[in-house]
């Protein structure tokens, strides 16, 4: 898969201002930027004929109370919690349509698993989650990101 290390909003803050404008809770999975809250997630896409999905490691913008809930219970299995609404917080340039801001459902994970996303709007990502992608598509995406 392909992983984004930060939400796009974090990268838009000049480095010299990040200490003042950004919060990370000593975690690589939680961020706040100018009051907006983000959780690092995976968006899984089935690969036709394969057991394991292709995974986008992306960020979701979520309500602050959901970030706080997740942070306070980070070391627990949260798979039985109700999913909640969020929005994709990274632009994914392989898609014709913008991915940034696309609505998703966020499902919190187990102790060692990141939250997962389900696209809830009409978007190429939603179609791929339903229908899957080919090995060729995966190869082209990985090649585009310099992963071989």
């Amino acid at each position: 898969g392909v992983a984004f290390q930060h939400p796009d909003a974090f990268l838009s803050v000049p480095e010299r201002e990040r200490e003042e404008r950004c919060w990370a809770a000593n975690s690589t999975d939680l961020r706040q930027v100018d009051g907006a809250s983000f959780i690092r997630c995976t968006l899984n896409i089935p690969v036709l004929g394969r057991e394991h999905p292709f995974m986008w490691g992306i960020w979701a913008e979520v309500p602050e109370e959901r970030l706080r809930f997740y942070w306070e219970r980070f070391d627990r299995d949260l798979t039985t919690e109700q999913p909640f609404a969020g929005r994709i917080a990274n632009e994914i340039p392989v898609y014709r349509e913008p991915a940034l801001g696309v609505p998703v459902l966020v499902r919190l994970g187990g102790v060692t698993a990141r939250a997962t996303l389900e696209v809830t709007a009409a978007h190429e990502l939603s179609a791929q989650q339903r229908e899957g992608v080919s090995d060729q598509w995966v190869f082209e995406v990985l090649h585009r990101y310099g992963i071989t």
Side-chain angles (χ1 to χ4, degrees):
V2 175
F4 292 78
Q5 299 303 311
H6 306 282
D8 286 6
F10 177 84
L11 297 173
S12 71
V13 175
E15 278 190 50
R16 66 186 178 281
E17 297 176 22
R18 287 182 183 162
E19 188 173 320
E20 179 182 321
R21 296 173 55 190
C22 303
W23 172 84
N26 296 322
S27 169
T28 58
D29 289 351
L30 305 170
R31 294 270 186 280
Q32 280 193 314
V33 179
D34 294 332
S37 299
F38 303 93
I39 295 175
R40 194 173 194 179
C41 305
T42 60
L43 193 151
N44 300 325
I45 299 175
V47 179
L48 301 173
R50 302 278 181 188
E51 182 180 343
H52 298 288
F54 175 85
M55 293 193 299
W56 285 113
I58 60 176
W59 292 77
E61 184 172 358
V62 300
E64 182 176 3
E65 65 270 11
R66 299 309 302 177
L67 175 111
R68 297 278 177 208
F69 177 89
Y70 191 37
W71 181 45
E72 292 166 359
R73 295 161 181 83
F74 201 66
D75 59 347
R76 298 185 201 159
D77 182 348
L78 299 173
T79 54
T80 59
E81 292 295 323
Q82 287 294 316
F84 54 92
R87 294 190 173 275
I88 293 176
N90 295 104
E91 191 54 74
I92 308 173
V94 301
Y95 295 103
R96 291 182 300 273
E97 310 168 76
L100 186 66
V102 168
V104 291
L105 273 181
V106 180
R107 287 187 173 82
L108 299 178
V111 174
T112 60
R114 287 199 166 107
T116 58
L117 301 177
E118 176 187 340
V119 178
T120 58
H123 189 277
E124 291 171 85
L125 283 163
S126 177
Q128 288 179 335
Q129 281 192 309
R130 282 191 318 275
E131 300 163 14
V133 295
S134 68
D135 282 335
Q136 180 64 32
W137 182 89
V138 172
F139 174 79
E140 290 170 6
V141 168
L142 293 177
H143 181 72
R144 179 176 181 157
Y145 282 93
I147 302 168
T148 54

